[in-house]
Amino acid sequence: MAAKSTTTIRQVLSYQPHQAAWFAATQTLFNRVCAFYFEVIQTHERVLDLSNKEALTALEKLTHATQNNPAPVMALQEVAQDIPAMFRRAAINAALGSARSFFSHLSTWRKRKEKALAKGKTFTERPPVPPRTWDKSVPFYVGQWRERTASSILLKIWTGTCWSWLKVRITGRELPTATELGSPSLIRRGKRWWLHTPIEKRFARPATIEQQVTTNPQTTICAVDLNLDDHLAVCTIQTVEGTILATRFIGHGREISGFRKKQLGRIARNRKQTGIIAENEQDNVDFWNKIKHGDEHIAHLISNRIVQFAQQHEATILVFEHLGNLKPTKGKYSKRGNEKRAYWMKGRIFAYAKYKAWNEQIITSRVNPRNTSRECARCHALVARYQEGQPAEGYTQGAPLVLCQRCGMQGHADRNASLVIGQRLITRYQQPSQGKPQAPLRAERVSKGTGVEVCQEAKSKEEPSSLQARHADRNEHGTAQDVSLGMEKHASDIPCQLRLPGES
Ligand SMILES: [Zn+2]
């Protein structure tokens, strides 16, 4: 079975100011044609029963004059003249998309209304309205662009008075080869014009994790432990057999966390002075934007490096631990806000890494986070966690070193946790007879002091966390109360493989 991934290449265009006016004119014309076709569809609703291809033909027949069709019902010519065929088709498809969405909303609204009226209830919900203004970007179908190179492209542009081929210089990423190029679109972002080109990659669907883990002992797994303090991500590469191949420490968490804390402290002080939640004040908006853009950037950077590292070692599976719920801790506003943002960041890194990995045919999964930091990756006994220069005993949350009294394993705490995360995934798919003995399921709740309450999400391994991330996004400004980040709580679907010594 084939699988595909789509990404968009965004490139900046160089042009003269008068050419920017032409781009704007082309977009205005495009939207006028879109609006016209939306009207045509509204008066001929039945075309929506057709497939897109059939609808396109029907709409052209209704609007486009030819020798065989000299007097169309609603002539496009009366609205705009000399519209190139491919420009018209792009507009028809855009109008069809909007119309399908609008009429499907309208139809659900009608059904709800009927149902309510049938029950004798009053129905006050307003009907959906068709778009009042149109602001679509112009896609350039084949024929509307040519001579594309790494540094330039010819675009057929409406100058306001005529159609003209315009050579535009392109900067930014080069287009990768061996992919399917989609139609480029002219996109206005603020005052600048960009060229966005979707590229589609098709590949054989990778074997499932279960297949890979159970049939090939050489299957290579990249496990990631995300941290909020020192290293943002610690990645380890191991085979299903258990051979450890590589480790990488990524990021400077402390710097990032320090930057955030400083900004949050300033906002808190502002808030105190004004005595109101100052989220919307321009001053604070600037701070928030700074933080948000910084975090976005970091999440992309870290996720890129994770996927690159996995690729370098030909890993076919990427594994993280579940995030659990953010458990509010007491403390200063800036501290709480900082923790919340760091949590949001972990979700972002996971979501980005997941889609970037998929583009490289790497499957992503998550495992139960319970005690990943407390377990020895070699013998699975409880480890001692401690600071450098201190005795190797007890468990100091966040300390960098671990020592296993039972087998003598000694090393970096986050690296050990990363290895345990990888092992958990392998164990999940191994037959009980082949693997370690499985402990009975226990209630999933981490003891105090770890700061996380453990839960699994629905559809744990396939659900991208972008929704949560968006949800978190809305709450990130840290209103007075702490928010749970919209994760569903329900019983664990991941067996806990190990019962640690000393636990009942
Ligand atoms: Zn050990």
Side-chain angles (χ1 to χ4, degrees):
M1 220 193 329
K4 63 177 184 179
S5 70
T6 309
T7 47
T8 303
I9 304 285
R10 297 169 176 85
Q11 294 168 303
V12 188
L13 299 176
S14 320
Y15 46 83
Q16 304 293 319
H18 70 277
Q19 291 168 337
W22 296 353
F23 294 157
T26 308
Q27 183 164 316
T28 305
L29 179 64
F30 182 74
N31 282 290
R32 198 179 346 139
V33 178
C34 284
F36 165 77
Y37 274 104
F38 191 87
E39 257 181 63
V40 177
I41 297 166
Q42 274 186 303
T43 48
H44 300 84
E45 237 185 274
R46 295 284 302 279
V47 298
L48 293 176
D49 299 337
L50 306 172
S51 73
N52 277 351
K53 209 176 159 192
E54 294 165 333
L56 181 85
T57 311
L59 287 166
E60 291 204 312
K61 209 167 178 191
L62 284 166
T63 57
H64 182 52
T66 59
Q67 242 175 4
N68 295 331
N69 186 29
V73 186
M74 295 172 81
L76 173 62
Q77 272 216 306
E78 285 166 26
V79 179
Q81 289 181 353
D82 303 326
I83 299 296
M86 286 304 161
F87 189 84
R88 181 179 68 228
R89 287 187 183 168
I92 291 175
N93 284 330
L96 267 173
S98 297
R100 287 201 194 281
S101 151
F102 167 69
F103 281 102
S104 105
H105 284 127
L106 188 64
S107 133
T108 16
W109 175 84
R110 281 182 186 142
K111 274 177 205 148
R112 275 209 301 274
K113 186 179 175 183
E114 258 171 48
K115 214 171 161 186
L117 295 182
K119 283 184 184 167
K121 288 180 187 163
T122 48
F123 189 75
T124 53
E125 203 180 309
R126 287 190 188 162
V129 288
R132 292 191 187 97
T133 55
W134 291 78
D135 190 26
K136 290 196 177 289
S137 298
V138 189
F140 286 75
Y141 282 12
V142 174
Q144 294 293 104
W145 63 271
R146 56 189 171 93
E147 292 171 35
R148 182 163 195 171
T149 69
S151 59
S152 71
I153 188 170
L154 278 171
L155 295 174
K156 200 169 187 180
I157 293 291
W158 174 250
T159 65
T161 49
C162 66
W163 288 96
S164 156
W165 282 103
L166 177 67
K167 187 171 182 173
V168 196
R169 277 192 298 127
I170 301 172
T171 48
R173 250 169 96 181
E174 246 179 73
L175 291 172
T177 49
T179 51
E180 281 179 51
L181 270 188
S183 299
S185 285
L186 196 52
I187 310 280
R188 179 164 41 195
R189 286 273 169 276
K191 285 177 182 169
R192 288 211 67 81
W193 290 89
W194 294 67
L195 197 69
H196 285 194
T197 311
I199 52 172
E200 203 169 82
K201 247 203 297 197
R202 282 169 196 279
F203 46 83
R205 184 173 289 279
T208 62
I209 294 174
E210 185 169 11
Q211 284 166 340
Q212 293 190 42
V213 169
T214 53
T215 60
N216 179 8
Q218 294 308 312
T219 296
T220 306
I221 292 172
C222 176
V224 186
D225 182 43
L226 291 177
N227 286 288
L228 310 177
D229 39 32
D230 204 3
H231 306 284
L232 274 175
V234 179
C235 310
T236 51
I237 304 279
Q238 59 190 308
T239 64
V240 165
E241 278 179 331
T243 314
I244 300 161
L245 301 171
T247 304
R248 180 164 299 172
F249 294 83
I250 300 170
H252 303 279
R254 261 186 208 137
E255 283 163 37
I256 291 155
S257 164
F259 167 72
R260 253 194 246 120
K261 224 189 242 159
K262 210 170 108 192
Q263 304 283 348
L264 287 164
R266 286 166 83 173
I267 292 166
R269 281 199 300 279
N270 268 15
R271 207 180 254 198
K272 233 178 185 169
Q273 280 162 14
T274 54
I276 52 164
I277 294 175
E279 243 171 67
N280 295 318
E281 280 182 16
Q282 194 50 48
D283 211 26
N284 280 345
V285 169
D286 288 346
F287 287 138
W288 284 119
N289 283 340
K290 228 184 243 175
I291 293 172
K292 197 176 157 188
H293 288 148
D295 280 1
E296 242 342 273
H297 178 69
I298 291 158
H300 273 296
L301 215 78
I302 302 286
S303 56
N304 280 347
R305 289 198 194 152
I306 291 170
V307 175
Q308 275 164 14
F309 179 64
Q311 268 186 292
Q312 272 168 27
H313 294 276
E314 291 170 353
T316 50
I317 298 167
L318 190 60
V319 54
F320 293 79
E321 57 183 1
H322 276 280
L323 270 182
N325 270 353
L326 179 69
K327 202 167 154 191
T329 48
K330 286 185 179 146
K332 277 200 293 193
Y333 170 75
S334 60
K335 186 175 174 248
R336 278 184 289 125
N338 208 23
E339 279 173 7
K340 214 181 310 184
R341 294 199 55 79
Y343 179 86
W344 172 90
M345 169 89 114
K346 275 187 169 185
R348 265 294 144 102
I349 294 172
F350 169 77
Y352 291 163
K354 184 176 173 172
Y355 87 71
K356 287 169 186 173
W358 178 248
N359 284 344
E360 307 302 335
Q361 292 114 76
I362 298 168
I363 310 179
T364 303
S365 186
R366 282 197 278 197
V367 297
N368 191 332
R370 188 167 180 278
N371 281 343
T372 46
S373 305
R374 290 173 187 249
E375 192 182 307
C376 169
R378 197 193 284 166
C379 77
H380 306 287
L382 279 177
V383 293
R385 189 167 180 178
Y386 59 100
Q387 303 281 356
E388 212 175 331
Q390 283 177 0
E393 55 189 37
Y395 190 89
T396 310
Q397 185 75 31
L401 300 174
V402 283
L403 171 71
C404 175
Q405 305 284 4
R406 193 201 277 173
C407 75
M409 184 279 294
Q410 200 167 8
H412 193 281
D414 296 333
R415 177 176 181 270
N416 179 65
S418 166
L419 288 168
V420 172
I421 290 168
Q423 286 166 359
R424 265 191 202 175
L425 184 80
I426 297 164
T427 319
R428 188 200 290 171
Y429 292 104
Q430 280 173 342
Q431 300 299 316
S433 56
Q434 294 172 344
K436 300 166 208 78
Q438 300 227 343
L441 280 172
R442 296 180 80 250
E444 305 281 301
R445 201 163 275 262
V446 171
S447 61
K448 282 177 208 159
T450 59
V452 284
E453 193 183 319
V454 180
C455 75
Q456 318 301 340
E457 293 149 78
K459 297 178 212 148
S460 55
K461 59 181 178 182
E462 298 303 337
E463 193 72 33
S465 57
S466 60
L467 260 181
Q468 296 153 19
R470 235 173 282 143
H471 186 87
D473 200 8
R474 258 183 277 128
N475 286 313
E476 76 195 342
H477 292 178
T479 42
Q481 78 277 23
D482 282 289
V483 287
S484 119
L485 296 180
M487 298 183 89
E488 276 179 68
K489 262 189 212 181
H490 74 115
S492 166
D493 54 354
I494 298 171
C496 178
Q497 287 89 8
L498 295 152
R499 186 159 34 169
L500 298 167
E503 289 184 327
S504 51

